[in-house]
Structures are given as C-alpha cells and as structure tokens.
Amino acid sequence: MVRQTPIDAMLAGREWFILLWRSYLGTLALYTALVGHLSLAYWSLYRRRTLRMPGWEALQLSLGLTIPLLLVWHVVGTRLAHEVAGTRDTYTLVVLSLWKLDPVAGLRQATALVIAWLHGCVGLHFWLRLRPWYARYARAIYTGFLLLPVLALLGFAEAGREITRLAEDPAFVPRVLAAAHLPSPEQRVVLGRVSRGIFWGHLGMIALVLAVRAGREHVRRRQGVRVTYPGGREVLVPAGFTILEASRLAGIPHASVCGGRGRCSTCRVRVIRGAEHLPAATAEELRVLGRVGAPAHVRLACQVRPQRDLTVVPLVPAGAGPGDAVGVGDHREGREVTIAVLFADLRGFTRLAERKLPYDVVFILNRYFEAVGGAITDVGGIVNQFTGDGVMALFGGDSGPEEGSRQAGRAAAAMVARVHELSRTLADDLATPLRLGIGIHTGATVVGRMGYATTTYLTAVGDTVHVAARLEALTKDYACDLVLSEEVAARAGLDVSDHARHELTVRNREGPLAIFVVPSAGRLAERLTVGGDRVGA
Ligand code: FES
C-alpha cells in the first residue's frame, strides 16, 4: 500500500474544498458571510455607547477585528490570484510559500488560524453556556476546542517538513512555481494594491466607526440622563445609553451573563423612579422578563435606553453566573404565592449530640440531611434551609398549592420512612432511634431570593411559615410524627377523618386554625388522592 503523505491528504481534501467554496453557491455563501460578519462587527462597535466591557467581550471583539488584517494576504494570494491570473493555488504551492519561501507569511497564517478559532470559541462559549446541557458536556467541548487547532497546526508543520524534504531536489521549487501559473509582475502589483487597500480600508473603517461614535457621544453627552443607583450614587450618561452601559461607564458592578444580548435576564433592574418615561419593552424583552416572572417596573438593563432621569436597583448580584440566568429558577424578585411549607426537626437530637464526638455529630447530621433532603426533592419540593437539625422545605411554587400540598404530604411520609431506615443503619451508634417531628401548612407566602451580594438563596417569609414552624413544635406536645393544617388536608385531598382534630389560635387570623394530628406519617402517602381518586404513594 502506498503511504499517503500530508500533502497528498491535503490535495485530496482540496477537491472537496474546491467543490464547496469555489462553486457559485459556495462563493456566494462565503462572501455574504464575510461581508455580513464584518458589517455586524462595525455595527456592534458603533452602537455600543461605551467601550468599557467585560474582558471576554473585549477579547472577542478585538480578535474578530484582527482576523481580516491577518487573512487578507492569503485570500488575495490564493483566491483572487486564481480569479485574476488563473493561479493554481494547490496546497503544494501554498505550503511551499508559507513554510519555505515566506516563513513570515506562514507565521501570520498560523496566528490567523489561532485567532479566528479563539474568536469563534469565545463566541460559542458565551452563547451556549446558558443552555442547561452545556455544563454537562463542557469538558468534551473544551477538549474539542483545544484539540482541533493543535491538530491543524501539527498537520501544517508536518506538511512543511515534507515540503522541506522535497525541496532538497533543486528542480522541485522551480517545477512547482512553473506549474502554478503565478501572476505576472503587473498582476502582482495590482494584487498587492488590493491587499493593502483591504488592509488599510479595514483599519480605516474601524477608525471611522470610532470617530463617528465619538462625535455621536459628544452630542449626546450634552443631553445627559441621570441614572441613580442604590446608596444614592448618580451616573450622568448621554441619552441613548442602556442602563447596563451606564453601570459599566461608571464602573458599577452589574451582572450581565449574556454580555448584554438580552438573553439571560441577569442584568434586570427594578425601576424605582422614572419607569413611566421609559420606552415600552420589546416583545423579546417581555419574553425574557416573563420567563423569570418579573413583576411590573422590572426591566432588562441591557435593553432599556432611558431618555429621562431614573432610579434603579439591580436585582441580581454582580457576580452572577449562568446558573442565575433565565430558565434556571423563578421567584427571584419576590412575589406572593400560595405554597405548602414544611418544617421538620429531629426529636432529642441536642441531647444525643452532647454525648457524641463532634465528628460523629456531623456524620449523623449529614446522613440525616441526605435522607430528608432526598425525600423532599424526589417529590418536587425545594429544600429551603437546614438549621441545626431542622429543615424547612417549600412545595408548589410552580405546580400550585394543591399539588404542593400533596407533595408535602408525600415528602413527610418519605422523610419519616428514610429516617427510620437511617436509624436502623446507625443502630450501633444511636442509643434510641432517630425520630422526626413535622409540621405542614399551606397558605400565602412571599417567596423570593433573599440575602446579600453572592450569599442569596430562595426562601419564603410570612405567617404561613410561622404557622408551619408552630405545627412542627406541636408534634412534641402530641408526641406524633406530623401535625398538618386543615388547609393542607383539603388541598391535598387527604382523608384525615380518623385523626384527632384540634383548633389553634393563630395571630393575624380570624378564627381558629383547624389542625390534624397524625401519629404515624409512614402511611400518609397512601391516603393522598388526586381529583378524588385515592392513589398509592
Ligand atoms: S445582560 Fe443578559 S439579558 Fe441583559
């Protein structure tokens, strides 16, 4: 079998390359994409109100603008020379030129490859990182990002070595050049002019765009808009700046996971004053805001260009990542929803902890949190917080209070079963089995992401939460697994007619609250009904 050299492989690949890119349709697609891409780059540079931007955006923009400067010589020397002089720009000729006759051009070409690839990868990364599946395949994708240019450069180097070896034959270079139909000296002068024209034309376009921008900003600066931030900080920006650009101009940290493209929602702000003068949200902005359930007066800072003074509060911590983007969660700004709230506590754990080594306490608690946390999330609940040996969980934020109440009931049953199982596993370490006390109440709560800076978490506040905590405390008095309110039983369709019913006086509530005492929650799931039909757990 004849060994295929790198040049042979390149020549074989070139046939497909020619078929695709030198066909009428391929040429049209290639140059339309080229012109379109360049025009978009100029436009993107022009429409930015400030050149302050995150490092990755600056990198992507500057790499993109550098590519034509590096590629123009190659494109003119191959494609245009082919069109003008009928040059046969085979890979033998190209590699000979880049590797042996003009190594500076070879270095420029290799640099262009790396820069173009990096530019594409940065763009792809910041576009795709909002997709839920991206993190899962990130390692494989990064490997591909890294491997492909390395292999391409190795292939180029290997072909260069082959050409060097072939060029040891003094007849080789003249033979290749003679067969290539190189442009005549006059044609070369014209091609040189074209290359320089494109090179300086591109630099001129960038300079022109920057100059036009500067003029525009000068005019706009004279009709400034004042944006006021929390703490009273004021930023004066020209009319036409987005709120995000105002933050960037003033160096105010402001989340913008998608880089101001209106996709991620992390730049959103609550407009405290001046909302009535803002331009109406576009359908795209409304769609993104709708996905995070944003209330009135919340806008995307990267999309709004205020014309009058306004006061805003950024709603997402400046260090937000893709996990804070749309589609990942909800209730970020706080809203009132009717949900089921569950409180659980380990009975007598403080006494048990006093007799254990710290290491054992942490070990047992972590196993316990794993057991109850799994029981909650398995049925669709959200573990809101672990405090000491207690846990608070929320159900029905997305699915509604009926389903939330059923989920809370199922979670209670599963938690008791799993803690029972855990006690059996740790029987040698425990003087008495672990025992849970659980309280559940369903009602209106304010749910939102609360906290400070990067330490924020989804939680709920309001009377419903206090009532659920009180019901959990009552499990000690009644020596039972679970106390739930009548509201939970009714919404869940739970038959509790054979359980003791009590009434509780609750602050801020007209009339007493009916509650049910469930001695053993283990079989509770079997009693849950959907639409009146009894179902199993
Ligand atoms: S920065 Fe992503 S939507 Fe504004």
Side-chain angles (χ1 to χ4, degrees):
M1 198 174 107
V2 182
R3 180 179 162 267
Q4 200 180 40
T5 66
I7 295 288
D8 290 339
M10 287 169 126
L11 289 173
R14 185 173 183 273
E15 289 183 19
W16 293 99
F17 167 85
I18 296 288
L19 209 61
L20 183 64
W21 296 123
R22 299 233 167 133
S23 68
Y24 176 72
L25 274 180
T27 300
L28 192 68
L30 184 66
Y31 289 99
T32 306
L34 192 73
V35 172
H37 213 82
L38 260 182
S39 311
L40 282 175
Y42 298 141
W43 175 243
S44 146
L45 193 60
Y46 170 76
R47 69 192 290 270
R48 285 172 183 275
R49 294 304 191 271
T50 169
L51 291 180
R52 289 195 191 199
M53 60 188 98
W56 68 267
E57 259 190 273
L59 178 77
Q60 202 202 11
L61 188 63
S62 38
L63 289 180
L65 291 173
T66 311
I67 295 169
L69 302 176
L70 294 168
L71 270 188
V72 59
W73 312 97
H74 176 72
V75 174
V76 171
T78 53
R79 181 68 191 257
L80 200 61
H82 171 76
E83 301 297 342
V84 170
T87 300
R88 298 189 58 233
D89 52 328
T90 62
Y91 279 116
T92 316
L93 175 71
V94 170
V95 176
L96 176 67
S97 308
L98 296 180
W99 191 265
K100 191 138 181 72
L101 305 182
D102 188 358
V104 174
L107 194 63
R108 190 172 55 218
Q109 186 71 2
T111 312
L113 181 144
V114 173
I115 284 183
W117 185 252
L118 209 56
H119 170 73
C121 289
V122 173
L124 277 176
H125 169 72
F126 282 96
W127 173 48
L128 293 177
R129 71 179 183 151
L130 300 180
R131 310 289 150 120
W133 51 263
Y134 185 67
R136 225 176 17 252
Y137 300 110
R139 195 170 295 206
I141 294 171
Y142 291 156
T143 310
F145 279 178
L146 204 65
L147 217 55
L148 218 64
V150 170
L151 290 177
L153 289 174
L154 284 176
F156 176 45
E158 193 54 31
R161 279 169 35 144
E162 187 192 344
I163 286 289
T164 308
R165 190 178 50 75
L166 292 171
E168 284 167 9
D169 173 359
F172 175 74
V173 174
R175 192 168 62 237
V176 172
L177 296 181
H181 297 293
L182 293 174
S184 65
E186 296 76 27
Q187 287 170 328
R188 240 178 274 170
V189 170
V190 173
L191 291 175
R193 276 195 200 129
V194 171
S195 298
R196 283 191 294 279
I198 295 175
F199 184 91
W200 289 110
H202 177 55
L203 281 182
M205 267 309 284
I206 297 173
L208 181 67
V209 170
L210 291 175
V212 174
R213 278 187 78 254
R216 180 196 64 195
E217 297 318 312
H218 178 71
V219 172
R220 283 201 167 136
R221 207 154 279 142
R222 295 169 64 184
Q223 330 149 340
V225 169
R226 198 173 302 276
V227 183
T228 307
Y229 290 82
R233 180 153 181 202
E234 290 184 351
V235 179
L236 188 65
V237 289
F241 264 52
T242 65
I243 299 171
L244 181 65
E245 286 166 337
S247 305
R248 286 178 175 175
L249 184 71
I252 295 174
H254 199 140
S256 57
V257 168
C258 72
R261 289 169 170 77
R263 293 187 196 135
C264 68
S265 89
T266 54
C267 64
R268 62 192 181 271
V269 291
R270 183 185 295 278
V271 183
I272 306 293
R273 186 178 55 86
E276 64 280 15
H277 302 306
L278 290 177
T282 60
E284 184 58 19
E285 185 186 348
L286 285 174
R287 191 181 62 75
V288 175
L289 288 171
R291 284 170 64 190
V292 287
H297 295 344
V298 169
R299 299 291 302 267
L300 294 183
C302 67
Q303 301 300 305
V304 186
R305 298 181 189 279
Q307 302 297 321
R308 307 266 287 267
D309 293 357
L310 81 168
T311 303
V312 298
V313 178
L315 293 171
V316 178
D324 299 277
V326 286
V328 178
D330 206 348
H331 317 301
R332 299 295 169 118
E333 275 73 52
R335 60 180 188 176
E336 192 174 88
V337 278
T338 299
I339 57 169
V341 180
L342 177 152
F343 267 88
D345 195 41
L346 270 183
R347 294 279 158 265
F349 189 78
T350 314
R351 244 176 304 119
L352 182 144
E354 282 166 5
R355 288 187 231 117
K356 291 269 173 207
L357 291 172
Y359 173 84
D360 293 334
V361 174
V362 172
F363 173 76
I364 294 172
L365 273 180
N366 282 338
R367 297 290 308 272
Y368 155 70
F369 289 143
E370 188 184 342
V372 297
I376 290 163
T377 52
D378 282 357
V379 298
I382 296 173
V383 178
N384 176 245
Q385 52 181 282
F386 291 116
T387 32
D389 55 5
V391 59
M392 172 178 159
L394 313 177
F395 300 86
D398 294 322
S399 53
E402 279 71 28
E403 178 57 15
S405 300
R406 281 191 287 274
Q407 288 173 342
R410 288 194 192 103
M415 287 162 75
V416 168
R418 290 192 190 187
V419 167
H420 181 66
E421 182 57 35
L422 181 63
S423 292
R424 285 202 317 137
T425 313
L426 301 176
D428 292 344
D429 296 312
L430 299 169
T432 53
L434 297 171
R435 181 132 195 244
L436 270 182
I438 303 172
I440 310 174
H441 181 49
T442 297
T445 56
V446 173
V447 176
R449 188 157 275 277
M450 300 178 204
Y452 168 70
T454 52
T455 316
T456 64
Y457 62 99
L458 190 73
T459 191
V461 291
D463 279 343
T464 301
V465 178
H466 297 303
V467 171
R470 218 173 130 195
L471 299 190
E472 178 268 310
L474 282 177
T475 58
K476 285 180 211 153
D477 301 340
Y478 293 122
C480 63
D481 280 353
L482 169 68
V483 174
L484 51 82
S485 66
E486 190 173 41
E487 184 81 15
V488 176
R491 288 196 184 264
L494 185 60
D495 179 6
V496 281
S497 53
D498 54 348
H499 291 305
R501 183 179 186 279
H502 298 269
E503 289 191 342
L504 195 66
T505 309
V506 175
R507 200 170 36 125
N508 297 336
R509 184 186 174 98
E510 275 180 31
L513 174 76
I515 59 171
F516 291 93
V517 173
V518 182
S520 167
R523 295 182 61 81
L524 193 69
E526 294 169 13
R527 292 170 167 244
L528 290 167
T529 57
V530 178
D533 300 325
R534 185 165 288 194
V535 293

